[in-house]
Amino acid sequence: MTAVAIVVPFVWLAWLILTEWVPMFPLNDLTPGNLRHRLIAASVNYPIPLLISGGVALHQTWSLVAATVVCCLIIVGHVQSWWLPYFGVSSAAQRELYRTDYARTLKVLPAEGRDVVIDVQHMVVGVLSVVMLATTLTATLTA
């Protein structure tokens, strides 16, 4: 399971890179106007899976716990960025970011009466985040 827990963060990272840099409309909307936001997101998000994989690969109690904590923070960030706004708890900044960068992307959830609707590309991020947490937690508990 440790090998899987090392690989899954790289899959998560690959999905982010793919959807943030390869035009696949309507899965993503890579308009020139959102380049700055994508660069900031890349600089913040891309090192995280490397830390998780590294923590699992070190296979020390402290590194496994740290990797698990980072995975939990990713889940919290995902819920705060997408699921809370979908259920009506959003800031003006979140609604504006959604309007400019994600309003035209592919969605499967009902949008009526919602200011922010999670799109398919971020639903996949959420699933991969849960898988990453599960594999990291399993590696931690079986160490």
Side-chain angles (χ1 to χ4, degrees):
M1 186 50 101
T2 299
V4 173
I6 292 170
V7 170
V8 170
F10 286 102
V11 173
W12 186 86
L13 176 60
W15 177 257
L16 290 183
I17 292 170
L18 178 69
T19 58
E20 290 174 355
W21 300 106
V22 178
M24 297 179 287
F25 187 80
L27 182 65
N28 58 12
D29 187 6
L30 303 184
T31 60
N34 65 17
L35 178 60
R36 182 175 184 277
H37 170 73
R38 288 187 287 135
L39 289 170
I40 292 169
S43 67
V44 171
N45 291 327
Y46 292 2
I48 293 171
L50 304 178
L51 293 172
I52 295 167
S53 284
V56 174
L58 282 175
H59 208 68
Q60 300 294 311
T61 301
W62 67 268
S63 67
L64 290 163
V65 170
T68 302
V69 168
V70 172
C71 287
C72 289
L73 292 173
I74 288 171
I75 298 290
V76 168
H78 182 74
V79 168
Q80 179 192 19
S81 297
W82 288 103
W83 291 104
L84 289 178
Y86 180 72
F87 290 107
V89 182
S90 62
S91 67
Q94 285 173 316
R95 290 187 298 273
E96 178 62 18
L97 178 65
Y98 173 78
R99 187 188 65 72
T100 59
D101 292 0
Y102 303 109
R104 298 179 341 127
T105 56
L106 181 63
K107 295 158 193 67
V108 295
L109 294 176
E112 188 173 330
R114 311 267 182 198
D115 291 329
V116 175
V117 179
I118 186 169
D119 57 8
V120 171
Q121 71 174 323
H122 288 95
M123 290 177 94
V124 172
V125 170
V127 169
L128 290 173
S129 298
V130 170
V131 170
M132 188 164 54
L133 173 60
T135 57
T136 302
L137 188 58
T138 301
T140 300
L141 295 175
T142 58

mmCIF file of all heavy atoms in Angstrom, residues 33-53:
data_model
loop_
_atom_site.group_PDB
_atom_site.id
_atom_site.type_symbol
_atom_site.label_atom_id
_atom_site.label_comp_id
_atom_site.label_asym_id
_atom_site.label_seq_id
_atom_site.Cartn_x
_atom_site.Cartn_y
_atom_site.Cartn_z
ATOM 1 N N GLY A 33 -7.491 35.466 -19.640
ATOM 2 C CA GLY A 33 -7.766 36.268 -18.460
ATOM 3 C C GLY A 33 -7.524 35.551 -17.152
ATOM 4 O O GLY A 33 -7.386 36.193 -16.106
ATOM 5 N N ASN A 34 -7.461 34.208 -17.155
ATOM 6 C CA ASN A 34 -7.241 33.510 -15.893
ATOM 7 C C ASN A 34 -5.820 32.952 -15.753
ATOM 8 O O ASN A 34 -5.552 32.154 -14.870
ATOM 9 C CB ASN A 34 -8.302 32.431 -15.664
ATOM 10 C CG ASN A 34 -8.261 31.300 -16.672
ATOM 11 O OD1 ASN A 34 -7.280 31.106 -17.382
ATOM 12 N ND2 ASN A 34 -9.341 30.549 -16.739
ATOM 13 N N LEU A 35 -4.901 33.384 -16.591
ATOM 14 C CA LEU A 35 -3.519 32.910 -16.532
ATOM 15 C C LEU A 35 -2.871 33.236 -15.192
ATOM 16 O O LEU A 35 -2.220 32.388 -14.590
ATOM 17 C CB LEU A 35 -2.692 33.500 -17.674
ATOM 18 C CG LEU A 35 -1.212 33.105 -17.682
ATOM 19 C CD1 LEU A 35 -1.056 31.597 -17.802
ATOM 20 C CD2 LEU A 35 -0.480 33.819 -18.796
ATOM 21 N N ARG A 36 -3.051 34.440 -14.702
ATOM 22 C CA ARG A 36 -2.439 34.834 -13.421
ATOM 23 C C ARG A 36 -2.939 33.931 -12.299
ATOM 24 O O ARG A 36 -2.152 33.451 -11.489
ATOM 25 C CB ARG A 36 -2.738 36.296 -13.100
ATOM 26 C CG ARG A 36 -2.091 36.777 -11.819
ATOM 27 C CD ARG A 36 -2.324 38.286 -11.610
ATOM 28 N NE ARG A 36 -1.637 38.766 -10.455
ATOM 29 C CZ ARG A 36 -2.100 38.674 -9.210
ATOM 30 N NH1 ARG A 36 -3.263 38.113 -8.970
ATOM 31 N NH2 ARG A 36 -1.400 39.147 -8.190
ATOM 32 N N HIS A 37 -4.245 33.695 -12.260
ATOM 33 C CA HIS A 37 -4.819 32.819 -11.228
ATOM 34 C C HIS A 37 -4.241 31.406 -11.341
ATOM 35 O O HIS A 37 -3.921 30.771 -10.327
ATOM 36 C CB HIS A 37 -6.346 32.785 -11.349
ATOM 37 C CG HIS A 37 -6.989 31.736 -10.502
ATOM 38 N ND1 HIS A 37 -7.079 31.835 -9.138
ATOM 39 C CD2 HIS A 37 -7.525 30.536 -10.827
ATOM 40 C CE1 HIS A 37 -7.657 30.746 -8.659
ATOM 41 N NE2 HIS A 37 -7.945 29.949 -9.672
ATOM 42 N N ARG A 38 -4.083 30.898 -12.560
ATOM 43 C CA ARG A 38 -3.542 29.552 -12.750
ATOM 44 C C ARG A 38 -2.086 29.469 -12.304
ATOM 45 O O ARG A 38 -1.668 28.470 -11.720
ATOM 46 C CB ARG A 38 -3.689 29.109 -14.204
ATOM 47 C CG ARG A 38 -5.151 28.813 -14.558
ATOM 48 C CD ARG A 38 -5.310 28.214 -15.933
ATOM 49 N NE ARG A 38 -5.101 29.224 -16.967
ATOM 50 C CZ ARG A 38 -4.376 29.060 -18.058
ATOM 51 N NH1 ARG A 38 -3.792 27.926 -18.304
ATOM 52 N NH2 ARG A 38 -4.259 30.029 -18.935
ATOM 53 N N LEU A 39 -1.310 30.519 -12.565
ATOM 54 C CA LEU A 39 0.092 30.532 -12.127
ATOM 55 C C LEU A 39 0.202 30.542 -10.609
ATOM 56 O O LEU A 39 1.038 29.838 -10.027
ATOM 57 C CB LEU A 39 0.823 31.742 -12.720
ATOM 58 C CG LEU A 39 1.100 31.676 -14.221
ATOM 59 C CD1 LEU A 39 1.590 33.027 -14.732
ATOM 60 C CD2 LEU A 39 2.114 30.580 -14.527
ATOM 61 N N ILE A 40 -0.643 31.322 -9.958
ATOM 62 C CA ILE A 40 -0.648 31.361 -8.490
ATOM 63 C C ILE A 40 -1.062 30.001 -7.936
ATOM 64 O O ILE A 40 -0.428 29.472 -7.014
ATOM 65 C CB ILE A 40 -1.566 32.486 -7.970
ATOM 66 C CG1 ILE A 40 -0.964 33.846 -8.317
ATOM 67 C CG2 ILE A 40 -1.799 32.359 -6.470
ATOM 68 C CD1 ILE A 40 -1.906 35.018 -8.099
ATOM 69 N N ALA A 41 -2.128 29.438 -8.489
ATOM 70 C CA ALA A 41 -2.600 28.124 -8.034
ATOM 71 C C ALA A 41 -1.510 27.062 -8.222
ATOM 72 O O ALA A 41 -1.303 26.215 -7.339
ATOM 73 C CB ALA A 41 -3.865 27.725 -8.779
ATOM 74 N N ALA A 42 -0.802 27.118 -9.333
ATOM 75 C CA ALA A 42 0.274 26.153 -9.581
ATOM 76 C C ALA A 42 1.387 26.297 -8.550
ATOM 77 O O ALA A 42 1.879 25.302 -8.016
ATOM 78 C CB ALA A 42 0.823 26.333 -10.993
ATOM 79 N N SER A 43 1.775 27.525 -8.254
ATOM 80 C CA SER A 43 2.872 27.725 -7.305
ATOM 81 C C SER A 43 2.496 27.282 -5.895
ATOM 82 O O SER A 43 3.341 26.837 -5.130
ATOM 83 C CB SER A 43 3.332 29.183 -7.301
ATOM 84 O OG SER A 43 2.319 30.017 -6.777
ATOM 85 N N VAL A 44 1.212 27.358 -5.569
ATOM 86 C CA VAL A 44 0.746 26.923 -4.244
ATOM 87 C C VAL A 44 0.499 25.421 -4.217
ATOM 88 O O VAL A 44 0.924 24.725 -3.286
ATOM 89 C CB VAL A 44 -0.545 27.687 -3.857
ATOM 90 C CG1 VAL A 44 -1.169 27.101 -2.601
ATOM 91 C CG2 VAL A 44 -0.253 29.170 -3.679
ATOM 92 N N ASN A 45 -0.175 24.895 -5.230
ATOM 93 C CA ASN A 45 -0.635 23.504 -5.200
ATOM 94 C C ASN A 45 0.394 22.471 -5.637
ATOM 95 O O ASN A 45 0.398 21.357 -5.114
ATOM 96 C CB ASN A 45 -1.884 23.354 -6.076
ATOM 97 C CG ASN A 45 -3.078 24.062 -5.495
ATOM 98 O OD1 ASN A 45 -3.243 24.160 -4.284
ATOM 99 N ND2 ASN A 45 -3.926 24.588 -6.369
ATOM 100 N N TYR A 46 1.246 22.769 -6.584
ATOM 101 C CA TYR A 46 2.116 21.742 -7.150
ATOM 102 C C TYR A 46 3.129 21.153 -6.169
ATOM 103 O O TYR A 46 3.427 19.954 -6.246
ATOM 104 C CB TYR A 46 2.821 22.249 -8.406
ATOM 105 C CG TYR A 46 1.902 22.498 -9.590
ATOM 106 C CD1 TYR A 46 0.525 22.311 -9.508
ATOM 107 C CD2 TYR A 46 2.404 22.927 -10.793
ATOM 108 C CE1 TYR A 46 -0.316 22.555 -10.587
ATOM 109 C CE2 TYR A 46 1.574 23.168 -11.886
ATOM 110 C CZ TYR A 46 0.217 22.980 -11.767
ATOM 111 O OH TYR A 46 -0.601 23.216 -12.848
ATOM 112 N N PRO A 47 3.692 21.914 -5.238
ATOM 113 C CA PRO A 47 4.625 21.301 -4.285
ATOM 114 C C PRO A 47 3.955 20.354 -3.276
ATOM 115 O O PRO A 47 4.600 19.454 -2.742
ATOM 116 C CB PRO A 47 5.233 22.496 -3.545
ATOM 117 C CG PRO A 47 4.986 23.671 -4.422
ATOM 118 C CD PRO A 47 3.719 23.380 -5.151
ATOM 119 N N ILE A 48 2.664 20.518 -3.039
ATOM 120 C CA ILE A 48 1.980 19.757 -1.991
ATOM 121 C C ILE A 48 2.034 18.249 -2.211
ATOM 122 O O ILE A 48 2.384 17.507 -1.295
ATOM 123 C CB ILE A 48 0.532 20.269 -1.823
ATOM 124 C CG1 ILE A 48 0.567 21.692 -1.268
ATOM 125 C CG2 ILE A 48 -0.276 19.352 -0.927
ATOM 126 C CD1 ILE A 48 -0.770 22.396 -1.248
ATOM 127 N N PRO A 49 1.701 17.735 -3.397
ATOM 128 C CA PRO A 49 1.771 16.276 -3.550
ATOM 129 C C PRO A 49 3.193 15.743 -3.449
ATOM 130 O O PRO A 49 3.397 14.582 -3.057
ATOM 131 C CB PRO A 49 1.174 16.029 -4.940
ATOM 132 C CG PRO A 49 1.294 17.328 -5.648
ATOM 133 C CD PRO A 49 1.195 18.383 -4.600
ATOM 134 N N LEU A 50 4.181 16.576 -3.760
ATOM 135 C CA LEU A 50 5.570 16.141 -3.609
ATOM 136 C C LEU A 50 5.897 15.952 -2.131
ATOM 137 O O LEU A 50 6.597 14.999 -1.755
ATOM 138 C CB LEU A 50 6.511 17.167 -4.239
ATOM 139 C CG LEU A 50 6.246 17.488 -5.720
ATOM 140 C CD1 LEU A 50 7.208 18.554 -6.217
ATOM 141 C CD2 LEU A 50 6.304 16.237 -6.570
ATOM 142 N N LEU A 51 5.370 16.839 -1.284
ATOM 143 C CA LEU A 51 5.559 16.696 0.161
ATOM 144 C C LEU A 51 4.872 15.438 0.678
ATOM 145 O O LEU A 51 5.428 14.719 1.515
ATOM 146 C CB LEU A 51 5.011 17.924 0.893
ATOM 147 C CG LEU A 51 5.735 19.242 0.655
ATOM 148 C CD1 LEU A 51 4.970 20.395 1.292
ATOM 149 C CD2 LEU A 51 7.144 19.162 1.207
ATOM 150 N N ILE A 52 3.677 15.178 0.190
ATOM 151 C CA ILE A 52 2.939 13.991 0.628
ATOM 152 C C ILE A 52 3.676 12.717 0.209
ATOM 153 O O ILE A 52 3.920 11.828 1.035
ATOM 154 C CB ILE A 52 1.498 14.012 0.088
ATOM 155 C CG1 ILE A 52 0.728 15.186 0.710
ATOM 156 C CG2 ILE A 52 0.791 12.684 0.366
ATOM 157 C CD1 ILE A 52 -0.589 15.502 0.038
ATOM 158 N N SER A 53 4.052 12.635 -1.055
ATOM 159 C CA SER A 53 4.784 11.450 -1.534
ATOM 160 C C SER A 53 6.098 11.282 -0.785
ATOM 161 O O SER A 53 6.459 10.171 -0.398
ATOM 162 C CB SER A 53 5.061 11.554 -3.032
ATOM 163 O OG SER A 53 3.907 11.294 -3.761
#
